[in-house]
Amino acid sequence: MAQVCSTGKSTAGSTLVLQDIVNASGQFNTPYLNAIVPYLPGYSTCFSQVFIGTAGINYNGPGTLYQQGVQNTSVQSDYLNQSATLAKQFLAHYPRVRPNWYLTLEANLNYLDQPAVATAYSSILTNQIRYLQSLTPNASFLWSPGFWYTYTGYSSNTYGMGLLNQGLAGLFSNLTAATHQPVIVDLQDEIGTTNCWGSGAMTPLDAVDWEHYLTTIPNHPAIEMNTTLFQTSCSTGGAMPLSANQVSTTESYYQSNNVKLGPAYEMRYWLQQHGMSLTTQS
């Protein structure tokens, strides 16, 4: 954080996102937050706004979190309760911060072609928004889902696209009704997570097509692009930073296609791409 702020550079319009604020045990992560809060709005002018995430979901049930898990009422209740507790703790510990909120639960938007999944996400996100809004009425909200299937492959599924249209329209309508403040969808381009998938790998063209598709859905929120700053090692499964030139080329392509750039995943790769070292301190 000190390196970023000392350069005068920042990512995506001086917006910072904290994905979550818990430690490995799921508890409020005070040491981490004490280190980072001095750089947040209210304490510093380094970033113009910050979106505070709360907690993710550790799901060990059948199927995937994004399909079967989100339909489980116990999973929904646990997530919402933990999110509420952490949000209150953050506000109590750091009253000077001017927070917006990051909705940490991600999604494979292709699964919203299943009505039960679309209904589950609508319930979870609107309930989370309503509660957080009761704590901070002027806060905005950021959500960063993605599509796991290429647009060129999936869009030929006429029946699936029809159901997806319905699922997204219902979700966006409910999000609009839940809040009087902006909701932003920072769409993950999924390029770095799928680069080992062969013909199923996402391309910048797919990302642009999915972004443009979302803007055709009634009541859609503001749509931005979460540019991948890494790629997956096909041999180890680990993440490796992309070169600054690769990122710049991709972002230029998005901008030339009228796609707004949003916060990108994530700062450790951004540091390396801007010639700064990533150090670990005890």
Side-chain angles (χ1 to χ4, degrees):
M1 293 295 290
Q3 291 184 84
V4 172
C5 294
S6 67
T7 64
K9 299 177 180 179
S10 62
T11 58
S14 298
T15 294
L16 179 69
V17 178
L18 305 187
Q19 183 172 342
D20 55 54
I21 53 176
V22 296
N23 59 24
S25 300
Q27 304 300 311
F28 189 72
N29 198 343
T30 305
Y32 159 73
L33 289 168
N34 283 348
I36 204 169
V37 159
Y39 302 96
L40 302 185
Y43 291 82
S44 168
T45 59
C46 179
F47 297 94
S48 60
Q49 60 179 342
V50 62
F51 289 87
I52 307 296
T54 51
I57 299 176
N58 294 320
Y59 177 70
N60 299 311
T64 71
L65 167 63
Y66 305 138
Q67 188 173 19
Q68 288 82 7
V70 293
Q71 299 179 58
N72 185 299
T73 54
S74 294
V75 171
Q76 294 180 22
S77 179
D78 288 346
Y79 172 67
L80 292 172
N81 288 336
Q82 187 179 20
S83 174
T85 297
L86 290 165
K88 287 189 292 186
Q89 287 179 293
F90 183 88
L91 294 173
H93 278 76
Y94 310 108
R96 285 174 54 187
V97 175
R98 301 189 302 273
N100 298 298
W101 298 105
Y102 176 64
L103 307 174
T104 306
L105 176 62
E106 298 179 350
N108 168 18
L109 293 178
N110 290 109
Y111 286 159
L112 267 66
D113 64 4
Q114 302 167 41
V117 175
T119 298
Y121 268 102
S122 182
S123 175
I124 295 170
L125 296 179
T126 55
N127 279 308
Q128 187 178 17
I129 285 172
R130 288 190 177 106
Y131 182 79
L132 294 173
Q133 193 165 241
S134 73
L135 300 177
T136 51
N138 296 319
S140 301
F141 299 89
L142 182 77
W143 186 42
S144 190
F147 289 97
W148 289 4
Y149 306 137
T150 63
Y151 184 84
T152 51
Y154 187 87
S155 60
S156 61
N157 177 358
T158 304
Y159 180 70
M161 286 294 285
L163 291 174
L164 185 60
N165 292 344
Q166 294 176 29
L168 286 168
L171 173 63
F172 289 163
S173 178
N174 288 328
L175 292 181
T176 299
T179 177
H180 54 270
Q181 295 299 329
V183 177
I184 302 166
V185 169
D186 190 31
L187 183 67
Q188 297 181 36
D189 66 8
E190 301 291 358
I191 292 173
T193 54
T194 66
N195 63 284
C196 300
W197 292 13
S199 61
M202 204 76 67
T203 68
L205 174 60
D206 289 306
V208 167
D209 284 343
W210 277 126
E211 190 273 349
H212 287 170
Y213 161 73
L214 287 178
T215 64
T216 69
I217 305 298
N219 296 306
H220 68 82
I223 311 293
E224 300 176 351
M225 189 69 79
N226 181 345
T227 306
T228 296
L229 302 183
F230 69 94
Q231 63 182 347
T232 303
S233 167
C234 300
S235 59
T236 68
M240 306 179 298
L242 287 173
S243 70
N245 182 63
Q246 288 173 291
V247 174
S248 177
T249 298
T250 300
E251 290 185 336
S252 294
Y253 176 77
Y254 292 155
Q255 291 175 308
S256 70
N257 283 276
N258 300 313
V259 173
K260 183 178 180 180
L261 300 180
Y265 190 84
E266 62 176 278
M267 184 177 285
R268 58 180 163 173
Y269 305 120
W270 187 92
L271 282 167
Q272 292 165 297
Q273 288 153 1
H274 288 78
M276 290 174 265
S277 63
L278 183 64
T279 59
T280 302
Q281 298 180 355
S282 60

